[in-house]
Amino acid sequence: MFYHYKFWHSLKNPTYFTNIVEEGEVIGYKKRVLSVFILFILLYAVREYWGMGTENLTTLFAMDQQNDYFVARVLSMLGAVLWAIVYFCFHYYGVTYLLHLLTDIPYSWIKKVQLYVVAFLLIEKAILFAVFYAVGYTTMFSFFSLAPAALQVIETDFVLFSINQLTVTTVLIIIVQYLFLSKWEEAASRKILVVKLIGVQLFMALFVGMISVLPIKEWIARGLG
């Protein structure tokens, strides 16, 4: 059986899609993966070109160090593209493998579901950038999360950055993962599946929160020095 992959149609029909993935061959799926991958790189490149995350380079420009500024921007652009690739691969391959270990569902099947996850993350980041571009400045925390509100009562950076990772999109991701992956689980295991999916998101949020407060740039500078 052959199935011509349609992103939104498949998203709205999880039962039919999971049956096809299990029993047939999906045609056109790789093209969708490549499209999302390229869009990720383009988004990160556009954000970098606009200047998002390059505030520390403004000093070079203000000091009329044009050559240093140009080199720094080129390296920063390359870093942004590399980070886009790493981010995509982590969520598409890394998280897929982790879920495979936790659920014993075939790796290739979970990858089909993770494409939705990556696409939702892409949409979230695109909306954030569009808003930042419209207002002309960026914020440290996402308005899709509760971090801006938590900032009023919490001062611990680790907690704030962890909360910042738990957004509306995170909830949507868990729902979509459950709707698809639960079709391959026994009824008795579906409650445990929810716990595992939530646990993965919490683990990633805590990990990012920990990384965000570490002086990684200073360590790199010392190592290069």
Side-chain angles (χ1 to χ4, degrees):
M1 181 184 296
F2 294 93
Y3 173 72
H4 291 276
Y5 183 78
K6 296 180 181 179
F7 186 88
W8 297 112
H9 180 268
S10 301
L11 180 62
K12 293 185 293 184
N13 299 275
T15 301
Y16 177 69
F17 180 65
T18 49
N19 289 335
I20 291 297
V21 170
E22 185 176 2
E23 300 174 4
E25 181 178 349
V26 181
I27 300 175
Y29 170 76
K30 292 183 179 179
K31 292 182 179 179
R32 301 301 190 277
V33 175
L34 181 61
S35 297
V36 174
F37 176 70
I38 293 174
L39 287 174
F40 245 105
I41 293 178
L42 288 176
L43 176 61
Y44 273 72
V46 170
R47 296 196 319 175
E48 175 67 24
Y49 180 79
W50 181 67
M52 186 173 175
T54 63
E55 297 83 0
N56 58 327
L57 303 181
T58 307
T59 304
L60 296 176
F61 183 81
M63 296 175 63
D64 199 29
Q65 298 180 17
Q66 300 298 327
N67 291 335
D68 292 341
Y69 177 74
F70 175 75
V71 172
R73 285 303 303 268
V74 171
L75 292 176
S76 184
M77 175 64 75
L78 292 176
V81 172
L82 178 60
W83 180 244
I85 295 173
V86 171
Y87 189 89
F88 175 89
C89 291
F90 171 75
H91 283 279
Y92 184 65
Y93 296 104
V95 176
T96 297
Y97 184 70
L98 178 59
L99 291 175
H100 166 64
L101 294 178
L102 292 174
T103 62
D104 289 331
I105 298 173
Y107 178 82
S108 60
W109 296 1
I110 301 178
K111 273 205 308 184
K112 303 294 191 303
V113 180
Q114 279 301 110
L115 181 60
Y116 294 120
V117 172
V118 177
F120 291 147
L121 291 171
L122 174 65
I123 292 172
E124 179 189 54
K125 292 182 180 300
I127 294 174
L128 282 172
F129 173 67
V131 172
F132 290 155
Y133 180 83
V135 300
Y137 63 89
T138 64
T139 59
M140 185 176 298
F141 300 116
S142 169
F143 52 77
F144 283 116
S145 73
L146 294 176
L151 183 61
Q152 307 302 316
V153 294
I154 299 174
E155 297 182 356
T156 306
D157 289 341
F158 168 72
V159 176
L160 289 172
F161 281 113
S162 297
I163 294 175
N164 191 54
Q165 297 303 307
L166 303 174
T167 66
V168 175
T169 305
T170 304
V171 178
L172 180 60
I173 287 172
I174 293 174
I175 292 174
V176 170
Q177 286 177 328
Y178 177 77
L179 287 176
F180 283 86
L181 299 183
S182 63
K183 306 299 180 183
W184 292 309
E185 290 278 43
E186 298 293 336
S189 302
R190 290 174 183 172
K191 291 183 179 180
I192 300 177
L193 175 63
V194 174
V195 175
K196 291 177 180 178
L197 295 177
I198 294 175
V200 169
Q201 294 299 326
L202 289 177
F203 172 78
M204 290 192 296
L206 293 173
F207 179 76
V208 172
M210 179 184 66
I211 294 297
S212 299
V213 298
L214 294 177
I216 296 178
K217 291 184 178 180
E218 295 180 11
W219 294 348
I220 294 176
R222 291 176 184 174
L224 295 177

